[in-house]
Amino acid sequence: MRVTIFGASGLLGKALMREWRGDQVTGLGSKDADIRDPQQVVKAVESSRPDWIVLAAAYTDVDGCETNRELAFAVNRDGAAHVAQAAAQHNSRLLFLSTDYVFDGKKITPYEVEDLRSPQSIYGRSKAEAELLIENILPGSCVVRTSWLFGTGGKCFPDTILKLVSTRSDIDVVDDQRGSPTYAIDLARAVIQLCRKGAEGIVHVTNRGECTWFEFARAIVSAAGLKTIIHPTTTDKFPRPAKRPKYSVLSASSLNHYGVGMPDWQDALRRYLVERSSDAKPDF
Ligand SMILES: NC(=O)c1ccc[n+]([C@@H]2O[C@H](COP(=O)([O-])OP(=O)(O)OC[C@H]3O[C@@H](n4cnc5c(N)ncnc54)[C@H](OP(=O)(O)O)[C@@H]3O)[C@@H](O)[C@H]2O)c1
């Protein structure tokens, strides 16, 4: 199988490049093909002739999207449409990465794939509109929604917390947003399996279990063997440009349908910390 990954230089993209074996994989960053430019996308697809395209490229700065709206829609919505058009022209299957931020967070039970989109931020809107365009341009595409991504390939919450606690004896973390952390390696493995199984439609993929950011931070500090005190606080004490859903746990039933299981987030966190500490060791 030939596979082309847009966004191969990102957090998930790096994990995909590391985990994908046994197929012919082409990884592209924005310098190889800027998805805002349909001609660059077509050229990249023509030269790699993929059976599957994985679209992990996005403008992921959720607060930045509020002030750079044009860029958010140009990359996340229009860029996604360009990739879907190129996939349709070249008979490639498409797997598009989307987000829990397509939901408003008003539910109190896990979001199912058929729940209505109601994004509260520009980032969420740009991804929700991309999902709809992709469904129209290339019916049968697979849309994988994930949440709270972490890993060693880029900026992420556990890394931020570990850097913060190295200089502080206590920190405040919000305790009124609930979701499911997702380790990039586990998500990459699930994406690979979904492509191999020919998945279609929307699939929710996160690590198993749920927590608040406060509970996540407390687990990070404790798993790292640190004594820093984490205080629970509320979102209104930390005003941010983009509104986040209060609750965005994604139901696993769409993933279970494909017989793909995910480890729980605490187990994923332990493996992340091992990977992070081995990455930090000098290379000699
Ligand atoms: N991070 C999360 O918590 C989270 C949560 C839910 C869903 N997701 C979704 O999961 C996917 C992967 O996220 P991530 O955290 O791995 O992203 P990331 O680390 O921010 O990486 C973004 C990737 O997109 C590429 N990119 C950005 N603008 C581009 C453009 N104009 N043309 C081509 N490529 C472009 C970047 O390439 P360069 O580095 O070469 O510029 C990079 O490879 C995204 O679709 C995101 O929306 C992420």
Side-chain angles (χ1 to χ4, degrees):
M1 185 158 90
R2 279 190 303 272
V3 180
T4 298
I5 298 168
F6 288 90
S9 49
L11 183 51
L12 172 62
K14 284 183 190 152
L16 281 166
M17 293 304 290
R18 210 176 93 181
E19 292 298 312
W20 211 315
R21 298 200 189 87
D23 291 307
Q24 196 181 313
V25 181
T26 304
L28 305 169
S30 63
K31 289 194 189 80
D32 307 304
D34 188 325
I35 62 171
R36 289 172 295 175
D37 177 353
Q39 283 169 0
Q40 288 189 37
V41 173
V42 166
K43 223 170 125 192
V45 172
E46 265 171 10
S47 65
S48 53
R49 294 182 296 114
D51 301 297
W52 271 97
I53 295 174
V54 176
L55 177 50
Y59 176 39
T60 58
D61 177 349
V62 175
D63 290 321
C65 284
E66 296 296 314
T67 39
N68 300 301
R69 292 176 177 221
E70 271 183 33
L71 182 61
F73 286 109
V75 178
N76 294 348
R77 180 193 59 199
D78 304 341
H82 299 151
V83 175
Q85 277 150 0
Q89 275 167 30
H90 292 84
N91 285 326
S92 305
R93 299 286 322 274
L94 174 63
L95 184 147
F96 169 64
L97 270 300
S98 191
T99 171
D100 54 331
Y101 285 16
V102 300
F103 296 121
D104 58 21
K106 291 185 181 146
K107 272 187 87 175
I108 49 168
T109 55
Y111 279 94
E112 301 293 342
V113 293
E114 57 275 5
D115 280 326
L116 281 186
R117 300 172 183 90
S118 175
Q120 302 292 294
S121 61
I122 296 296
Y123 170 73
R125 251 181 67 194
S126 65
K127 299 291 281 188
E129 290 181 21
E131 288 186 4
L132 291 167
L133 281 173
I134 285 170
E135 281 169 14
N136 273 318
I137 296 166
L138 192 58
S141 295
C142 182
V143 172
V144 167
R145 292 192 188 126
T146 190
S147 63
W148 296 24
L149 199 57
F150 67 98
T152 57
K155 249 178 79 177
C156 67
F157 182 77
D159 188 55
T160 305
I161 291 294
L162 290 169
K163 282 179 179 148
L164 259 181
V165 300
S166 67
T167 56
R168 304 252 297 268
S169 58
D170 61 339
I171 55 170
D172 294 345
V173 181
V174 297
D175 194 28
D176 56 358
Q177 289 172 34
R178 178 165 284 275
S180 300
T182 306
Y183 185 27
I185 295 288
D186 292 338
L187 174 59
R189 289 175 182 160
V191 162
I192 295 165
Q193 289 189 66
L194 287 170
C195 289
R196 293 197 172 134
K197 287 170 187 259
E200 289 187 11
I202 302 172
V203 185
H204 287 171
V205 185
T206 69
N207 275 120
R208 214 171 43 217
E210 55 179 81
C211 58
T212 65
W213 291 113
F214 160 73
E215 288 163 351
F216 193 19
R218 207 172 44 178
I220 293 161
V221 166
S222 150
L226 301 167
K227 300 251 177 302
T228 317
I229 299 161
I230 316 287
H231 303 287
T233 187
T234 50
T235 303
D236 56 2
K237 304 244 166 62
F238 274 96
R240 307 268 295 267
K243 194 170 171 201
R244 268 87 174 159
K246 262 183 144 7
Y247 178 91
S248 65
V249 177
L250 303 176
S251 161
S253 48
S254 53
L255 186 63
N256 295 342
H257 170 79
Y258 289 101
V260 179
M262 289 291 279
D264 65 47
W265 67 263
Q266 292 94 337
D267 173 74
L269 174 61
R270 280 189 288 275
R271 286 178 288 121
Y272 161 77
L273 290 172
V274 172
E275 188 192 343
R276 187 177 184 271
S277 63
S278 61
D279 276 7
K281 284 198 186 106
D283 206 13
F284 55 79

